[in-house]
Amino acid sequence: MALVERRQGDMPAALAHIAQAEQLDPRNPQYIQVKSEFLLALRRFPEARAAIDRSLELQPGDSTLLAAKITSFQGEGDLPAAQRLVDAPPADDPEDWFRAARITQDWWTGRFDDAIASCRALIQAGRNPFSPALGFDCQFTTAIAQRLKGDAAGAAATCEALLKRLDRPDSSALGASSQAAYRGLAKACVGRKAQALQDLQTAIEIEQGDSRNVQGFMVSIAMVHAQFGEVDAAVAS
């Protein structure tokens, strides 16, 4: 029930129900982990870390939990605390979430070459830390890092490659809304603003009823406006 309520955007009810589940089974790490995810989404970072630490007591060294803890520090802007965790990686990271958090840390600390190298290494190894559809997020991550370091031509080339990949049959693993969103972000990267905004609006229309995904796509629309210097439109989005 809590997961459905989160999908509908009713976070207070979702938190209340996951808290009830936790009371019934206080040593169930899944309930604690879901609670921490909800708290992260609400930007209640200290409470999220407290839940993550409780779950780590039951699952020491869990890479997904450590990545979530890094994300909580990054969300607060405490990059030194995040870096201390990044510098102590878990022995095993089967789902690559820790690597994803490390790549984000590289962005925030201006180590764009490291972020690009990490993404390329994961793609070449046939691994992708952000989604089950191989390579899409890492390609876009690479483009963002290239743009941030001032390599506009490199970013455009990466986004053109991403657009070509989105035309391949395996892109269907993303789902229709994510396909549309990636197309929009990639088109913005190569200067096709109107088409980018249209694709992102399509993604929102597909995901009506899932407030979490809709919010993410609205943030992407704001990013596109900001990229083209439209500050007021970005803020409004």
Side-chain angles (χ1 to χ4, degrees):
M1 183 178 291
L3 295 174
V4 172
E5 288 163 338
R6 178 184 179 175
R7 184 179 178 89
Q8 294 174 336
D10 190 352
M11 291 301 289
L15 265 177
H17 280 115
I18 200 63
Q20 290 175 5
E22 185 184 3
Q23 288 174 356
L24 293 171
D25 189 0
R27 293 189 61 78
N28 186 320
Q30 182 179 2
Y31 294 157
I32 305 171
Q33 186 172 341
V34 170
K35 181 180 179 180
S36 72
E37 292 171 2
F38 289 0
L39 291 166
L40 280 174
L42 291 169
R43 301 184 63 81
R44 290 162 57 175
F45 299 118
E47 295 173 76
R49 276 196 300 276
I52 291 167
D53 286 339
R54 287 200 306 278
S55 195
L56 280 168
E57 291 175 3
L58 301 171
Q59 303 176 97
D62 183 273
S63 62
T64 304
L65 292 169
L66 291 169
K69 193 169 183 178
I70 291 169
T71 299
S72 75
F73 284 123
Q74 290 169 337
E76 285 182 321
D78 190 349
L79 297 182
Q83 190 65 48
R84 286 193 290 272
L85 290 174
V86 166
D87 291 338
D92 186 32
D93 186 15
E95 296 181 356
D96 288 327
W97 289 111
F98 189 92
R99 291 178 179 84
R102 183 171 60 195
I103 291 169
T104 300
Q105 182 74 3
D106 287 337
W107 292 349
W108 287 119
T109 54
R111 299 196 297 267
F112 303 124
D113 287 333
D114 290 342
I116 292 168
S118 293
C119 277
R120 285 178 173 168
L122 286 167
I123 292 171
Q124 289 170 1
R127 301 174 71 179
N128 175 43
F130 304 100
S131 77
L134 185 63
F136 293 101
D137 272 325
C138 248
Q139 277 187 272
F140 187 65
T141 298
T142 297
I144 294 174
Q146 288 171 317
R147 194 169 66 217
L148 289 172
K149 67 174 286 190
D151 183 6
T158 300
C159 286
E160 290 286 6
L162 178 56
L163 285 169
K164 290 179 181 178
R165 186 173 177 81
L166 285 164
D167 289 331
R168 289 168 44 176
D170 64 344
S171 72
S172 62
L174 287 169
S177 62
S178 292
Q179 283 179 302
Y182 276 119
R183 282 197 180 91
L185 291 169
K187 288 175 182 177
C189 184
V190 296
R192 292 151 62 182
K193 184 188 76 170
Q195 293 178 21
L197 292 173
Q198 182 177 356
D199 284 333
L200 286 164
Q201 187 59 47
T202 296
I204 289 174
E205 291 169 0
I206 293 171
E207 284 293 338
Q208 287 297 337
D210 188 335
S211 63
R212 179 180 53 176
N213 288 342
V214 168
Q215 287 170 0
F217 296 147
M218 290 176 68
V219 170
S220 295
I221 287 176
M223 289 171 57
V224 171
H225 284 301
Q227 180 183 334
F228 286 90
E230 299 169 351
V231 177
D232 291 341
V235 172
S237 298

